[in-house]
Amino acid sequence: MKQERKMHFQEGRRAQQQLENGFKQLENSKRKFERDCREAEKAAHTAERLDQDINATKADVEKAKQQAHLRNHMAEESKNEYAAQLQRFNRDQAHFYFSQMPQIFDKLQDMDERRATRLGAGYGLLSEAELQVVPIIGKCLEGMKVAAESVDAKNDSKVLIELHKSGFARPGDLEFEDFSQVMNRVPSDSSLGTPDGRPELRAASSRSRAKRWPFGKKNKTVVTEDFSHLPPEQQRKRLQQQLEERNRELQKEEDQREALKKMKDVYEKTPQMGDPASLEPRIAETLGNIERLKLEVQKYEAWLAEAESRVLSNRGDSLSRHTRPPDPPTTAPPDSSSSSNNSGSQDNKESSEEPPSEEGQDTPIYTEFDEDFEEPASPIGQCVAIYHFEGSSEGTVSMSEGEDLSLMEEDKGDGWTRVRRKQGGEGYVPTSYLRVTLN
């Protein structure tokens, strides 16, 4: 319609231009007629004056009369031309104002009416579509409102923790190392190692330095094919993903082999469709891929079985430490760095608590945290400390026997519970040292 409107305006401008050109021609013929009339009148006066002059010769008089007659003839021609041009212009002007322009305006009016009709139909369709969409939008908003009201932050946190939990077992209590015995012992030929016991000291210190704390900086790890650099739970998930991918690739290669076999059979039955020997390289390549993928599947299955057994064993160790509380200490907490008065109390402690395994010493006890620690809004229960505990390591908190504490997070099966003290401070304490009451 914009193009049609532009065409109508161009048509009107052409008609107007033609009328203007006709008017210019009329003006030119009019001026020429006026000029020729003046020249004819002047020539007539000159001939009359020479005719009355006695000094003028007959030849001059005849020449003046001829010139006057010529000018008069030219004026008559200009008059006829001006009259014809005027008649033509009046006819064109009447056609322009009474026929041509009304037709152009009628076309523009018709075009504008059709435009209004189409715009009305378009707005009607738009409103109808909007009316059909409004209930859908309302349902979406209602669903969003219901979803917003059904948000369970605590359950979402548990799902997230379950998805990203490390699977590492919590380390056991550290044993007291009595270095004073080295000074009292006399070295003999039958003793093993160096007399001062420094290698054992260096080994213990290296094990302690190998630990990673929950809120420390990230350490660079070496990525291995069996994902042994990851925590047990994450290692199991990654191995399971790799095994599923290999199985999908294996199924794809087997399907391709079956298709190639069928194509080869068709080529053997109808040689004009193709050469069966041309498929041999692709069939051989597919068989090689199948053998390689089968070996990889077996390898990942073995790694996955080992990782699952490790996860189950870690859970079992954590549950055993959780269900069997240690004997209440008499003179020192289980993880205190102070020495006992005699070796008997140390032996008693060793028998009442499980010694930490080498795996617990060498593997990290926490995964890295990408974000800062966020405290929950309110406690989920209350608990009372049965024994005294000295939280000397990072991430733990100290408590006194009989102290009332706020329960912030339940035990996840690793033997540790997160609590908050009344006077401030929050951290982990052994679950077996608490009497827990949930809200």
Side-chain angles (χ1 to χ4, degrees):
M1 286 187 172
K2 288 176 63 178
Q3 195 67 23
E4 183 180 354
R5 181 175 179 270
K6 184 178 178 181
M7 181 184 66
H8 293 327
F9 274 104
Q10 289 177 352
E11 185 179 357
R13 280 193 294 270
R14 283 195 301 269
Q16 187 175 351
Q17 188 68 30
Q18 290 176 359
L19 184 63
E20 289 177 357
N21 292 335
F23 182 74
K24 288 179 182 179
Q25 293 177 2
L26 176 64
E27 287 293 325
N28 291 333
S29 62
K30 180 181 178 181
R31 284 194 297 268
K32 183 180 179 184
F33 173 59
E34 183 181 5
R35 185 173 62 251
D36 290 344
C37 286
R38 289 196 187 103
E39 291 293 335
E41 185 179 359
K42 183 178 178 181
H45 284 303
T46 301
E48 184 179 357
R49 181 173 54 81
L50 288 175
D51 188 32
Q52 294 177 2
D53 190 3
I54 58 174
N55 295 324
T57 61
K58 186 177 180 180
D60 292 337
V61 174
E62 289 294 331
K63 184 178 180 181
K65 288 182 178 180
Q66 290 178 359
Q67 188 70 19
H69 180 71
L70 178 63
R71 292 294 179 182
N72 192 20
H73 180 70
M74 292 176 62
E76 286 293 332
E77 290 182 354
S78 297
K79 179 181 178 181
N80 295 331
E81 184 180 356
Y82 170 63
Q85 192 69 29
L86 180 62
Q87 186 179 3
R88 188 183 306 114
F89 175 75
N90 289 332
R91 185 179 68 251
D92 293 342
Q93 182 175 252
H95 175 69
F96 177 79
Y97 284 107
F98 290 95
S99 177
Q100 197 170 13
M101 288 306 297
Q103 289 179 2
I104 294 175
F105 285 137
D106 289 341
K107 291 178 182 179
L108 287 171
Q109 182 179 357
D110 178 67
M111 184 272 302
D112 195 72
E113 290 175 356
R114 285 186 285 112
R115 182 182 65 87
T117 303
R118 292 191 182 182
L119 281 175
Y123 284 121
L125 291 174
L126 177 63
S127 60
E128 183 180 355
E130 288 288 343
L131 289 175
Q132 292 177 357
V133 170
V134 164
I136 302 175
I137 296 177
K139 290 182 180 179
C140 293
L141 294 176
E142 291 177 1
M144 293 169 63
K145 183 179 179 182
V146 172
E149 293 175 352
S150 63
V151 168
D152 188 358
K154 190 170 294 298
N155 184 58
D156 293 343
S157 299
K158 291 181 179 180
V159 172
L160 183 65
I161 292 171
E162 183 66 25
L163 184 62
H164 296 285
K165 64 183 180 180
S166 66
F168 284 124
R170 300 288 183 176
D173 296 330
L174 298 178
E175 297 182 3
F176 176 74
E177 299 181 11
D178 192 358
F179 298 102
S180 61
Q181 297 180 2
V182 178
M183 295 184 296
N184 299 327
R185 186 175 69 244
V186 179
S188 62
D189 296 336
S190 61
S191 62
L192 299 176
T194 56
D196 55 355
R198 289 179 182 176
E200 290 80 5
L201 177 61
R202 286 196 296 270
S205 62
S206 65
R207 287 197 299 270
S208 63
R209 283 197 302 269
K211 291 183 178 181
R212 289 183 295 176
W213 303 105
F215 311 111
K217 296 182 179 179
K218 287 187 175 182
N219 297 323
K220 294 182 179 179
T221 56
V222 179
V223 179
T224 57
E225 187 180 3
D226 60 349
F227 303 104
S228 58
H229 62 285
L230 295 177
E233 188 70 22
Q234 300 298 324
Q235 180 189 11
R236 183 184 63 80
K237 293 180 180 179
R238 293 296 296 275
L239 288 174
Q240 196 164 4
Q241 292 176 359
Q242 292 293 327
L243 183 59
E244 291 175 357
E245 291 180 3
R246 296 303 187 278
N247 285 327
R248 285 196 296 269
E249 293 178 4
L250 180 60
Q251 185 63 36
K252 183 178 178 181
E253 293 291 337
E254 289 179 349
D255 294 342
Q256 187 175 0
R257 184 185 62 178
E258 293 297 329
L260 290 172
K261 283 185 177 180
K262 292 180 180 179
M263 189 181 298
K264 183 180 178 182
D265 294 339
V266 172
Y267 285 176
E268 289 176 350
K269 293 178 181 179
T270 55
Q272 61 271 17
M273 295 185 65
D275 184 13
S278 62
L279 300 177
E280 290 297 337
R282 295 177 60 186
I283 294 176
E285 181 182 357
T286 305
L287 291 176
N289 293 336
I290 291 175
E291 293 299 327
R292 176 179 57 82
L293 290 173
K294 284 183 178 180
L295 293 176
E296 291 185 2
V297 167
Q298 294 177 0
K299 178 172 62 175
Y300 279 107
E301 285 178 348
W303 285 342
L304 180 60
E306 183 180 354
E308 289 179 346
S309 63
R310 187 181 302 111
V311 170
L312 292 176
S313 64
N314 289 342
R315 289 177 181 174
D317 294 342
S318 301
L319 290 175
S320 64
R321 284 199 301 271
H322 174 57
T323 54
R324 186 176 57 84
D327 295 335
T330 56
T331 59
D335 60 344
S336 175
S337 59
S338 62
S339 61
S340 303
N341 293 331
N342 52 47
S343 61
S345 62
Q346 184 178 354
D347 297 336
N348 185 20
K349 182 181 68 174
E350 293 176 356
S351 62
S352 62
E353 298 177 5
E354 276 189 35
S357 61
E358 285 298 321
E359 181 182 357
Q361 293 288 344
D362 295 336
T363 56
I365 61 172
Y366 296 102
T367 57
E368 299 92 337
F369 286 77
D370 293 332
E371 298 179 356
D372 294 333
F373 184 79
E374 296 183 359
E375 295 183 355
S378 60
I380 61 174
Q382 303 295 327
C383 51
V384 179
I386 305 175
Y387 311 117
H388 173 78
F389 174 72
E390 187 70 22
S392 58
S393 60
E394 187 176 355
T396 61
V397 66
S398 302
M399 63 180 181
S400 303
E401 183 178 352
E403 182 179 356
D404 292 331
L405 304 167
S406 298
L407 179 63
M408 308 307 297
E409 184 180 316
E410 291 186 80
D411 185 3
K412 302 299 182 181
D414 51 15
W416 294 86
T417 300
R418 200 164 112 243
V419 299
R420 179 187 294 172
R421 304 185 69 182
K422 300 295 184 183
Q423 61 270 28
E426 185 174 327
Y428 289 91
V429 297
T431 306
S432 57
Y433 281 32
L434 300 174
R435 184 185 301 112
V436 179
T437 303
L438 294 176
N439 290 340

